[in-house]
Amino acid sequence: DQQVKQNSPSLSVQEGRISILNCDYTNSMFDYFLWYKKYPAEGPTFLISISSIKDKNEDGRFTVFLNKSAKHLSLHIVPSQPGDSAVYFCAASEGNKLTFGGGTRVLVKP
Amino acid sequence: DTAVSQTPKYLVTQMGNDKSIKCEQNLGHDTMYWYKQDSKKFLKIMFSYNNKELIINETVPNRFSPKSPDKAHLNLHINSLELGDSAVYFCASSHSGGAETQYFGPGTRLLVL
């Protein structure tokens, strides 16, 4: 019973273009959403978050959008850079309990 | 200046053995966690401690026992290791027990033969 789903296991994008990663959730009690980036053999690194009371949060090249009625969030990376190539995990929080999606592997081609 | 550190980074052991993984954070956080990333790459919460008290205990075999000697440390002891315990174990910490950003360690890769 996956409460957080990332339906695209991989994404390939040209350098300089926009990367859009999607995440769907089922639990309406989630109140905080995060995106983590993970390189091989390293731990997940926090990227950006959004509270359930907002619909958009921006930090430099990264923007997260939240559509509560659709139980959907997305991460936009623009412009994409080769160093962005990694696995991106969506996570949703109920209290301090984080539930993770399965990840999307992003490859940014030079 | 490592924020969340874990030792060892790699652990290869035989079935039936008992092993421990250590975690330390120097962020001054009150809450620490253990996650397991299985072969399908899903990250799942196992335990959470807030100020040395257990606050989350997911459906985990009782062969797994977390121990928090102080709020900067959360160790994981595993008894009678089984093949299915092979995974990457991540420690994390956050400022408080609410909806906070969690910061992860580098992971411990456990292989049970």
Side-chain angles (χ1 to χ4, degrees):
Chain A
D1 176 28
Q2 273 182 263
Q3 295 187 61
V4 179
K5 287 185 182 178
Q6 294 175 254
N7 290 317
S8 298
S10 63
L11 172 70
S12 183
V13 64
Q14 207 66 35
E15 180 179 4
R17 298 289 185 101
I18 184 170
S19 294
I20 300 177
L21 291 80
N22 293 303
C23 179
D24 296 295
Y25 63 94
T26 56
N27 186 347
S28 57
M29 299 300 291
F30 289 141
D31 54 4
Y32 189 61
F33 303 88
L34 309 92
W35 284 94
Y36 284 84
K37 175 180 178 180
K38 187 181 180 305
Y39 292 119
E42 292 184 12
T45 303
F46 169 71
L47 204 53
I48 192 169
S49 62
I50 188 167
S51 165
S52 61
I53 62 173
K54 295 188 174 181
D55 55 17
K56 178 182 174 182
N57 187 26
E58 193 171 350
D59 184 3
R61 298 186 296 115
F62 303 93
T63 303
V64 56
F65 295 92
L66 175 63
N67 182 333
K68 279 189 69 178
S69 59
K71 293 191 176 67
H72 177 85
L73 67 157
S74 61
L75 174 68
H76 292 204
I77 307 173
V78 56
S80 299
Q81 299 173 354
D84 295 333
S85 297
V87 177
Y88 290 78
F89 289 95
C90 164
S93 171
E94 183 180 359
N96 70 336
K97 182 181 169 183
L98 274 186
T99 302
F100 282 84
T104 296
R105 183 176 301 278
V106 173
L107 176 63
V108 180
K109 298 178 181 178
Chain B
D1 53 342
T2 307
V4 182
S5 59
Q6 296 178 227
T7 53
K9 193 164 185 180
Y10 299 95
L11 185 53
V12 181
T13 188
Q14 298 288 329
M15 241 180 11
N17 283 350
D18 303 339
K19 290 293 178 185
S20 291
I21 307 171
K22 294 186 177 182
C23 178
E24 177 181 2
Q25 55 93 5
N26 62 6
L27 296 166
H29 288 165
D30 291 330
T31 307
M32 296 184 73
Y33 312 80
W34 277 109
Y35 286 84
K36 178 181 180 180
Q37 186 180 32
D38 59 24
S39 56
K40 294 182 179 177
K41 306 301 182 188
F42 284 100
L43 269 161
K44 291 184 180 174
I45 182 79
M46 298 173 69
F47 301 103
S48 174
Y49 270 73
N50 180 266
N51 272 322
K52 303 194 298 175
E53 287 194 28
L54 183 66
I55 54 172
I56 292 177
N57 185 352
E58 290 295 291
T59 309
V60 176
N62 57 16
R63 298 182 294 104
F64 290 78
S65 53
K67 285 185 173 52
S68 182
D70 54 61
K71 72 175 190 177
H73 296 83
L74 181 62
N75 304 323
L76 183 64
H77 188 76
I78 316 170
N79 288 328
S80 304
L81 278 156
E82 299 178 357
L83 295 177
D85 297 333
S86 296
V88 184
Y89 293 85
F90 289 100
C91 176
S93 72
S94 67
H95 181 63
S96 70
E100 292 265 348
T101 300
Q102 295 181 20
Y103 296 89
F104 284 77
T108 295
R109 283 140 192 87
L110 171 65
L111 178 61
V112 182
L113 302 174

